[in-house]
Structures are given as structure tokens and as C-alpha cells.
Amino acid sequence: MRKNNIRWMTGLLVIIGFLLTLSYKTAADQVSQEKEPNYFEEDQLRNTVLEEQEKNYELEEEWRSLQTQVREMEETLAQNEESSFNLVEDLEKLRMLTGEVGVGGPGIEVTLNDHTFVPEEGNPNDYIVHERHIQQVIDELLLAGAEAISVNGYRISKDTFIQCMGPVIKIDNNTSTAPFVVKAIGDSEQLETSLKLNGGVQDSLVNENIEVRIQTENQVTMQALGGVSD
């Protein structure tokens, strides 16, 4: 009877052991099956992150390229605008110099007059303003950067002809008498300094018995070529 009980208990233990083994294996398989999808999902997530990073890198590179193109376009546009502005400015200065347009601005006024005293033994012709005296002033003002010049209200251009006819002077076809007022538009201090240099135009005119008065002006106005300014 005892042997039968032992056999029965042994068989029961074997069955229980088998069931435990089977249960453990099943549990292990379930755990394994539960873990495998997690590893797969992690791999997928990792791959997705890597793909997004690669896309972000490509987008950053494209963004930098676009930034570079924009900067180059801005620089080109700025250069073109500066070139256009300089061209318009040069054209305007040229029109001013040729007398095509009326102009105004700071400048200088130079008055040349015949000498008030002529000695009895002197030659009167040596004490009056001649065309060369006016031309001296005009040339010096142009060298000093004058943008526009007039004489007794008549605009001066590159084709202007000044001719002395005794006590009067013809400026193109216009007759003028002393005093001769030469006006110039430009940097007034620079224009004045150029005329008053030691041994310069003013000294030369005074040595030739010409009365000279130089004064700067806050506003000088001139009409276009062919008109007469005040």
C-alpha cells in the first residue's frame, strides 16, 4: 500500500514538475514574445529618429544655402542701387556744369571792379577789368570744385566765350560792364580758400590794379543757360 502511495506521489510530482516546466516555458515564451515587439519598436523608433535627423540636416543645409543666396542678392542689389545713385548724381552734376538746369545752393560771390584811382601818367587800360581777369577767377573756381558759375547773372558753360571790348565785356552775346560779379555754387569755404591762397588769384588781380571783393553766401541761385539770374 505504501509503495502504491509512493508511486502515486512520484507520478504526481512528475506531473507537477512537468506542468511547472511547461508553465515556466510558456511564461518565458510570453515574456520573450512581449519583449521582441518592444525591441522591434525601439529599432523602428531609432530609425525614424535617424531619418528625421537626416531630413533636418538636409533642411538646415538648404536653409543656409538660401541664406547665402539672399545675402548675395542683397549685396548685388545694394551695388546696383549705389551705381544707379552715382550715375544719377554724376548726370545731375554734368547738367549743372553745362547749365541745362537752374540750380541753387551755398557758394561764393566774387566782385571785380575797375580801380577807382588812375594816376595821371598811368594808362587807363591798366586799371580796368579785362576778360583774362574774369577767366582767371572762373578757372580757379572750377579747379576748386565749383558746380555752377555765372557772371553778372549769365550762366557759364564750357562753350562760353568772353571777349573784352574796351570798358565793356561780352559774355557770349551779352554785353556787361563793371562791376563784374562772378558767382559760384559749391563748398563756399573751399572756394574762398582757393582764391585767397598766397600768390594766388586774388593777389594777382590786386597786383594788376583790380579791386576784388570775396564773400561766401549761404544761398546762391542761378537760372538755366540762356536765362539771367539776379
PDB file of all heavy atoms in Angstrom, residues 105-111 141 182-196 213-220:
ATOM      1  N   GLY A 105      22.200 126.781 -54.097  1.00  0.00           N
ATOM      2  CA  GLY A 105      22.942 126.171 -53.003  1.00  0.00           C
ATOM      3  C   GLY A 105      23.967 127.134 -52.449  1.00  0.00           C
ATOM      4  O   GLY A 105      24.109 128.269 -52.924  1.00  0.00           O
ATOM      5  N   PRO A 106      24.703 126.723 -51.434  1.00  0.00           N
ATOM      6  CA  PRO A 106      25.748 127.584 -50.869  1.00  0.00           C
ATOM      7  C   PRO A 106      26.861 127.806 -51.878  1.00  0.00           C
ATOM      8  O   PRO A 106      27.066 126.999 -52.782  1.00  0.00           O
ATOM      9  CB  PRO A 106      26.246 126.780 -49.661  1.00  0.00           C
ATOM     10  CG  PRO A 106      25.919 125.360 -49.998  1.00  0.00           C
ATOM     11  CD  PRO A 106      24.645 125.403 -50.783  1.00  0.00           C
ATOM     12  N   GLY A 107      27.552 128.908 -51.710  1.00  0.00           N
ATOM     13  CA  GLY A 107      28.632 129.179 -52.657  1.00  0.00           C
ATOM     14  C   GLY A 107      29.396 130.437 -52.307  1.00  0.00           C
ATOM     15  O   GLY A 107      29.558 130.777 -51.125  1.00  0.00           O
ATOM     16  N   ILE A 108      29.782 131.161 -53.342  1.00  0.00           N
ATOM     17  CA  ILE A 108      30.660 132.318 -53.156  1.00  0.00           C
ATOM     18  C   ILE A 108      30.331 133.385 -54.197  1.00  0.00           C
ATOM     19  O   ILE A 108      29.809 133.080 -55.282  1.00  0.00           O
ATOM     20  CB  ILE A 108      32.143 131.882 -53.280  1.00  0.00           C
ATOM     21  CG1 ILE A 108      33.070 132.956 -52.731  1.00  0.00           C
ATOM     22  CG2 ILE A 108      32.483 131.504 -54.716  1.00  0.00           C
ATOM     23  CD1 ILE A 108      34.517 132.491 -52.622  1.00  0.00           C
ATOM     24  N   GLU A 109      30.630 134.620 -53.826  1.00  0.00           N
ATOM     25  CA  GLU A 109      30.433 135.746 -54.754  1.00  0.00           C
ATOM     26  C   GLU A 109      31.730 136.545 -54.824  1.00  0.00           C
ATOM     27  O   GLU A 109      32.268 136.962 -53.801  1.00  0.00           O
ATOM     28  CB  GLU A 109      29.290 136.644 -54.271  1.00  0.00           C
ATOM     29  CG  GLU A 109      29.015 137.839 -55.174  1.00  0.00           C
ATOM     30  CD  GLU A 109      27.861 138.688 -54.680  1.00  0.00           C
ATOM     31  OE1 GLU A 109      26.709 138.214 -54.772  1.00  0.00           O
ATOM     32  OE2 GLU A 109      28.119 139.804 -54.163  1.00  0.00           O
ATOM     33  N   VAL A 110      32.208 136.720 -56.043  1.00  0.00           N
ATOM     34  CA  VAL A 110      33.463 137.457 -56.261  1.00  0.00           C
ATOM     35  C   VAL A 110      33.150 138.668 -57.130  1.00  0.00           C
ATOM     36  O   VAL A 110      32.649 138.520 -58.253  1.00  0.00           O
ATOM     37  CB  VAL A 110      34.519 136.582 -56.952  1.00  0.00           C
ATOM     38  CG1 VAL A 110      35.828 137.358 -57.115  1.00  0.00           C
ATOM     39  CG2 VAL A 110      34.737 135.292 -56.187  1.00  0.00           C
ATOM     40  N   THR A 111      33.434 139.851 -56.610  1.00  0.00           N
ATOM     41  CA  THR A 111      33.158 141.085 -57.355  1.00  0.00           C
ATOM     42  C   THR A 111      34.470 141.689 -57.838  1.00  0.00           C
ATOM     43  O   THR A 111      35.376 141.949 -57.037  1.00  0.00           O
ATOM     44  CB  THR A 111      32.412 142.106 -56.478  1.00  0.00           C
ATOM     45  OG1 THR A 111      31.201 141.507 -55.998  1.00  0.00           O
ATOM     46  CG2 THR A 111      32.068 143.351 -57.277  1.00  0.00           C
ATOM     47  N   LEU A 141      37.897 128.755 -59.743  1.00  0.00           N
ATOM     48  CA  LEU A 141      36.686 128.216 -59.112  1.00  0.00           C
ATOM     49  C   LEU A 141      36.379 126.813 -59.618  1.00  0.00           C
ATOM     50  O   LEU A 141      35.974 125.937 -58.847  1.00  0.00           O
ATOM     51  CB  LEU A 141      35.500 129.152 -59.371  1.00  0.00           C
ATOM     52  CG  LEU A 141      35.551 130.511 -58.655  1.00  0.00           C
ATOM     53  CD1 LEU A 141      34.417 131.410 -59.131  1.00  0.00           C
ATOM     54  CD2 LEU A 141      35.493 130.339 -57.140  1.00  0.00           C
ATOM     55  N   VAL A 182      31.037 137.547 -60.179  1.00  0.00           N
ATOM     56  CA  VAL A 182      31.173 136.124 -60.501  1.00  0.00           C
ATOM     57  C   VAL A 182      30.621 135.325 -59.318  1.00  0.00           C
ATOM     58  O   VAL A 182      31.102 135.465 -58.192  1.00  0.00           O
ATOM     59  CB  VAL A 182      32.644 135.742 -60.751  1.00  0.00           C
ATOM     60  CG1 VAL A 182      32.749 134.265 -61.129  1.00  0.00           C
ATOM     61  CG2 VAL A 182      33.251 136.627 -61.837  1.00  0.00           C
ATOM     62  N   LYS A 183      29.619 134.512 -59.601  1.00  0.00           N
ATOM     63  CA  LYS A 183      29.042 133.668 -58.552  1.00  0.00           C
ATOM     64  C   LYS A 183      29.316 132.206 -58.853  1.00  0.00           C
ATOM     65  O   LYS A 183      29.359 131.805 -60.021  1.00  0.00           O
ATOM     66  CB  LYS A 183      27.534 133.903 -58.442  1.00  0.00           C
ATOM     67  CG  LYS A 183      27.153 135.294 -57.952  1.00  0.00           C
ATOM     68  CD  LYS A 183      25.648 135.413 -57.752  1.00  0.00           C
ATOM     69  CE  LYS A 183      25.273 136.784 -57.220  1.00  0.00           C
ATOM     70  NZ  LYS A 183      23.804 136.902 -56.966  1.00  0.00           N
ATOM     71  N   ALA A 184      29.506 131.440 -57.792  1.00  0.00           N
ATOM     72  CA  ALA A 184      29.761 130.005 -57.948  1.00  0.00           C
ATOM     73  C   ALA A 184      29.044 129.247 -56.851  1.00  0.00           C
ATOM     74  O   ALA A 184      28.954 129.709 -55.714  1.00  0.00           O
ATOM     75  CB  ALA A 184      31.260 129.711 -57.908  1.00  0.00           C
ATOM     76  N   ILE A 185      28.517 128.072 -57.202  1.00  0.00           N
ATOM     77  CA  ILE A 185      27.871 127.182 -56.239  1.00  0.00           C
ATOM     78  C   ILE A 185      28.821 126.035 -55.924  1.00  0.00           C
ATOM     79  O   ILE A 185      29.398 125.434 -56.841  1.00  0.00           O
ATOM     80  CB  ILE A 185      26.544 126.642 -56.797  1.00  0.00           C
ATOM     81  CG1 ILE A 185      25.540 127.785 -56.949  1.00  0.00           C
ATOM     82  CG2 ILE A 185      25.977 125.552 -55.898  1.00  0.00           C
ATOM     83  CD1 ILE A 185      24.237 127.376 -57.594  1.00  0.00           C
ATOM     84  N   GLY A 186      28.981 125.761 -54.644  1.00  0.00           N
ATOM     85  CA  GLY A 186      29.876 124.688 -54.221  1.00  0.00           C
ATOM     86  C   GLY A 186      30.234 124.857 -52.755  1.00  0.00           C
ATOM     87  O   GLY A 186      29.546 125.568 -52.008  1.00  0.00           O
ATOM     88  N   ASP A 187      31.304 124.206 -52.345  1.00  0.00           N
ATOM     89  CA  ASP A 187      31.797 124.326 -50.968  1.00  0.00           C
ATOM     90  C   ASP A 187      32.364 125.730 -50.791  1.00  0.00           C
ATOM     91  O   ASP A 187      33.461 126.037 -51.258  1.00  0.00           O
ATOM     92  CB  ASP A 187      32.868 123.265 -50.721  1.00  0.00           C
ATOM     93  CG  ASP A 187      33.320 123.226 -49.270  1.00  0.00           C
ATOM     94  OD1 ASP A 187      33.375 124.292 -48.630  1.00  0.00           O
ATOM     95  OD2 ASP A 187      33.627 122.126 -48.778  1.00  0.00           O
ATOM     96  N   SER A 188      31.615 126.605 -50.106  1.00  0.00           N
ATOM     97  CA  SER A 188      31.985 128.019 -50.027  1.00  0.00           C
ATOM     98  C   SER A 188      33.355 128.234 -49.394  1.00  0.00           C
ATOM     99  O   SER A 188      34.142 129.072 -49.870  1.00  0.00           O
ATOM    100  CB  SER A 188      30.915 128.795 -49.250  1.00  0.00           C
ATOM    101  OG  SER A 188      30.701 128.212 -47.982  1.00  0.00           O
ATOM    102  N   GLU A 189      33.662 127.477 -48.330  1.00  0.00           N
ATOM    103  CA  GLU A 189      34.960 127.648 -47.667  1.00  0.00           C
ATOM    104  C   GLU A 189      36.102 127.231 -48.593  1.00  0.00           C
ATOM    105  O   GLU A 189      37.142 127.893 -48.657  1.00  0.00           O
ATOM    106  CB  GLU A 189      35.004 126.843 -46.374  1.00  0.00           C
ATOM    107  CG  GLU A 189      34.063 127.375 -45.289  1.00  0.00           C
ATOM    108  CD  GLU A 189      34.216 126.624 -43.984  1.00  0.00           C
ATOM    109  OE1 GLU A 189      35.100 125.731 -43.911  1.00  0.00           O
ATOM    110  OE2 GLU A 189      33.460 126.908 -43.038  1.00  0.00           O
ATOM    111  N   GLN A 190      35.899 126.128 -49.290  1.00  0.00           N
ATOM    112  CA  GLN A 190      36.940 125.647 -50.193  1.00  0.00           C
ATOM    113  C   GLN A 190      37.149 126.613 -51.353  1.00  0.00           C
ATOM    114  O   GLN A 190      38.293 126.887 -51.748  1.00  0.00           O
ATOM    115  CB  GLN A 190      36.537 124.267 -50.729  1.00  0.00           C
ATOM    116  CG  GLN A 190      37.574 123.633 -51.645  1.00  0.00           C
ATOM    117  CD  GLN A 190      37.221 122.199 -52.000  1.00  0.00           C
ATOM    118  OE1 GLN A 190      36.846 121.425 -51.122  1.00  0.00           O
ATOM    119  NE2 GLN A 190      37.317 121.873 -53.274  1.00  0.00           N
ATOM    120  N   LEU A 191      36.063 127.141 -51.892  1.00  0.00           N
ATOM    121  CA  LEU A 191      36.171 128.099 -52.996  1.00  0.00           C
ATOM    122  C   LEU A 191      36.876 129.374 -52.542  1.00  0.00           C
ATOM    123  O   LEU A 191      37.752 129.905 -53.254  1.00  0.00           O
ATOM    124  CB  LEU A 191      34.774 128.428 -53.534  1.00  0.00           C
ATOM    125  CG  LEU A 191      33.986 127.273 -54.155  1.00  0.00           C
ATOM    126  CD1 LEU A 191      32.582 127.726 -54.536  1.00  0.00           C
ATOM    127  CD2 LEU A 191      34.708 126.697 -55.370  1.00  0.00           C
ATOM    128  N   GLU A 192      36.511 129.865 -51.361  1.00  0.00           N
ATOM    129  CA  GLU A 192      37.141 131.090 -50.845  1.00  0.00           C
ATOM    130  C   GLU A 192      38.627 130.870 -50.591  1.00  0.00           C
ATOM    131  O   GLU A 192      39.461 131.714 -50.954  1.00  0.00           O
ATOM    132  CB  GLU A 192      36.438 131.508 -49.556  1.00  0.00           C
ATOM    133  CG  GLU A 192      37.013 132.786 -48.957  1.00  0.00           C
ATOM    134  CD  GLU A 192      36.362 133.142 -47.632  1.00  0.00           C
ATOM    135  OE1 GLU A 192      35.995 132.200 -46.887  1.00  0.00           O
ATOM    136  OE2 GLU A 192      36.247 134.344 -47.323  1.00  0.00           O
ATOM    137  N   THR A 193      38.967 129.748 -49.978  1.00  0.00           N
ATOM    138  CA  THR A 193      40.369 129.462 -49.676  1.00  0.00           C
ATOM    139  C   THR A 193      41.213 129.394 -50.947  1.00  0.00           C
ATOM    140  O   THR A 193      42.342 129.899 -50.978  1.00  0.00           O
ATOM    141  CB  THR A 193      40.485 128.130 -48.910  1.00  0.00           C
ATOM    142  OG1 THR A 193      39.752 128.226 -47.684  1.00  0.00           O
ATOM    143  CG2 THR A 193      41.940 127.804 -48.612  1.00  0.00           C
ATOM    144  N   SER A 194      40.672 128.776 -51.988  1.00  0.00           N
ATOM    145  CA  SER A 194      41.438 128.633 -53.232  1.00  0.00           C
ATOM    146  C   SER A 194      41.753 129.986 -53.855  1.00  0.00           C
ATOM    147  O   SER A 194      42.829 130.178 -54.434  1.00  0.00           O
ATOM    148  CB  SER A 194      40.669 127.764 -54.221  1.00  0.00           C
ATOM    149  OG  SER A 194      39.499 128.420 -54.671  1.00  0.00           O
ATOM    150  N   LEU A 195      40.826 130.937 -53.748  1.00  0.00           N
ATOM    151  CA  LEU A 195      41.056 132.268 -54.328  1.00  0.00           C
ATOM    152  C   LEU A 195      42.023 133.108 -53.492  1.00  0.00           C
ATOM    153  O   LEU A 195      42.732 133.967 -54.031  1.00  0.00           O
ATOM    154  CB  LEU A 195      39.732 133.017 -54.459  1.00  0.00           C
ATOM    155  CG  LEU A 195      38.727 132.471 -55.478  1.00  0.00           C
ATOM    156  CD1 LEU A 195      37.404 133.222 -55.370  1.00  0.00           C
ATOM    157  CD2 LEU A 195      39.277 132.572 -56.899  1.00  0.00           C
ATOM    158  N   LYS A 196      42.058 132.833 -52.176  1.00  0.00           N
ATOM    159  CA  LYS A 196      42.860 133.670 -51.274  1.00  0.00           C
ATOM    160  C   LYS A 196      44.225 133.075 -50.936  1.00  0.00           C
ATOM    161  O   LYS A 196      44.906 133.568 -50.033  1.00  0.00           O
ATOM    162  CB  LYS A 196      42.076 133.911 -49.975  1.00  0.00           C
ATOM    163  CG  LYS A 196      40.861 134.804 -50.164  1.00  0.00           C
ATOM    164  CD  LYS A 196      40.182 135.105 -48.834  1.00  0.00           C
ATOM    165  CE  LYS A 196      39.034 136.087 -48.999  1.00  0.00           C
ATOM    166  NZ  LYS A 196      38.376 136.413 -47.723  1.00  0.00           N
ATOM    167  N   ARG A 213      36.531 141.852 -54.244  1.00  0.00           N
ATOM    168  CA  ARG A 213      35.795 141.590 -53.004  1.00  0.00           C
ATOM    169  C   ARG A 213      35.248 140.166 -53.063  1.00  0.00           C
ATOM    170  O   ARG A 213      34.580 139.787 -54.031  1.00  0.00           O
ATOM    171  CB  ARG A 213      34.648 142.583 -52.822  1.00  0.00           C
ATOM    172  CG  ARG A 213      33.870 142.390 -51.520  1.00  0.00           C
ATOM    173  CD  ARG A 213      32.939 143.577 -51.278  1.00  0.00           C
ATOM    174  NE  ARG A 213      31.936 143.679 -52.340  1.00  0.00           N
ATOM    175  CZ  ARG A 213      30.746 143.071 -52.313  1.00  0.00           C
ATOM    176  NH1 ARG A 213      30.422 142.296 -51.282  1.00  0.00           N
ATOM    177  NH2 ARG A 213      29.897 143.239 -53.300  1.00  0.00           N
ATOM    178  N   ILE A 214      35.578 139.397 -52.026  1.00  0.00           N
ATOM    179  CA  ILE A 214      35.170 137.980 -51.983  1.00  0.00           C
ATOM    180  C   ILE A 214      34.336 137.744 -50.727  1.00  0.00           C
ATOM    181  O   ILE A 214      34.744 138.116 -49.624  1.00  0.00           O
ATOM    182  CB  ILE A 214      36.401 137.048 -51.958  1.00  0.00           C
ATOM    183  CG1 ILE A 214      37.254 137.266 -53.213  1.00  0.00           C
ATOM    184  CG2 ILE A 214      35.966 135.584 -51.854  1.00  0.00           C
ATOM    185  CD1 ILE A 214      38.573 136.506 -53.195  1.00  0.00           C
ATOM    186  N   GLN A 215      33.179 137.132 -50.900  1.00  0.00           N
ATOM    187  CA  GLN A 215      32.356 136.804 -49.743  1.00  0.00           C
ATOM    188  C   GLN A 215      31.590 135.504 -49.995  1.00  0.00           C
ATOM    189  O   GLN A 215      31.166 135.232 -51.117  1.00  0.00           O
ATOM    190  CB  GLN A 215      31.377 137.940 -49.423  1.00  0.00           C
ATOM    191  CG  GLN A 215      30.378 138.252 -50.526  1.00  0.00           C
ATOM    192  CD  GLN A 215      29.481 139.429 -50.173  1.00  0.00           C
ATOM    193  OE1 GLN A 215      29.890 140.317 -49.409  1.00  0.00           O
ATOM    194  NE2 GLN A 215      28.269 139.435 -50.707  1.00  0.00           N
ATOM    195  N   THR A 216      31.471 134.727 -48.925  1.00  0.00           N
ATOM    196  CA  THR A 216      30.726 133.472 -49.027  1.00  0.00           C
ATOM    197  C   THR A 216      29.230 133.757 -48.916  1.00  0.00           C
ATOM    198  O   THR A 216      28.817 134.749 -48.315  1.00  0.00           O
ATOM    199  CB  THR A 216      31.150 132.488 -47.926  1.00  0.00           C
ATOM    200  OG1 THR A 216      30.922 133.081 -46.646  1.00  0.00           O
ATOM    201  CG2 THR A 216      32.621 132.122 -48.073  1.00  0.00           C
ATOM    202  N   GLU A 217      28.430 132.874 -49.494  1.00  0.00           N
ATOM    203  CA  GLU A 217      26.975 133.032 -49.499  1.00  0.00           C
ATOM    204  C   GLU A 217      26.319 131.732 -49.042  1.00  0.00           C
ATOM    205  O   GLU A 217      26.739 130.645 -49.447  1.00  0.00           O
ATOM    206  CB  GLU A 217      26.476 133.391 -50.908  1.00  0.00           C
ATOM    207  CG  GLU A 217      27.014 134.709 -51.461  1.00  0.00           C
ATOM    208  CD  GLU A 217      26.367 135.917 -50.798  1.00  0.00           C
ATOM    209  OE1 GLU A 217      25.276 135.746 -50.181  1.00  0.00           O
ATOM    210  OE2 GLU A 217      26.945 137.019 -50.873  1.00  0.00           O
ATOM    211  N   ASN A 218      25.288 131.863 -48.207  1.00  0.00           N
ATOM    212  CA  ASN A 218      24.540 130.673 -47.781  1.00  0.00           C
ATOM    213  C   ASN A 218      23.684 130.111 -48.899  1.00  0.00           C
ATOM    214  O   ASN A 218      23.431 128.912 -48.966  1.00  0.00           O
ATOM    215  CB  ASN A 218      23.649 131.010 -46.574  1.00  0.00           C
ATOM    216  CG  ASN A 218      24.460 131.325 -45.335  1.00  0.00           C
ATOM    217  OD1 ASN A 218      25.542 130.765 -45.129  1.00  0.00           O
ATOM    218  ND2 ASN A 218      23.953 132.225 -44.511  1.00  0.00           N
ATOM    219  N   GLN A 219      23.221 130.990 -49.794  1.00  0.00           N
ATOM    220  CA  GLN A 219      22.372 130.546 -50.885  1.00  0.00           C
ATOM    221  C   GLN A 219      22.659 131.362 -52.141  1.00  0.00           C
ATOM    222  O   GLN A 219      22.533 132.585 -52.141  1.00  0.00           O
ATOM    223  CB  GLN A 219      20.887 130.674 -50.502  1.00  0.00           C
ATOM    224  CG  GLN A 219      19.920 130.165 -51.535  1.00  0.00           C
ATOM    225  CD  GLN A 219      19.983 128.658 -51.723  1.00  0.00           C
ATOM    226  OE1 GLN A 219      20.437 127.941 -50.831  1.00  0.00           O
ATOM    227  NE2 GLN A 219      19.549 128.171 -52.873  1.00  0.00           N
ATOM    228  N   VAL A 220      23.048 130.655 -53.167  1.00  0.00           N
ATOM    229  CA  VAL A 220      23.273 131.264 -54.482  1.00  0.00           C
ATOM    230  C   VAL A 220      22.339 130.569 -55.462  1.00  0.00           C
ATOM    231  O   VAL A 220      22.281 129.337 -55.507  1.00  0.00           O
ATOM    232  CB  VAL A 220      24.738 131.091 -54.941  1.00  0.00           C
ATOM    233  CG1 VAL A 220      24.917 131.665 -56.343  1.00  0.00           C
ATOM    234  CG2 VAL A 220      25.692 131.773 -53.968  1.00  0.00           C
TER     235      VAL A 220
END
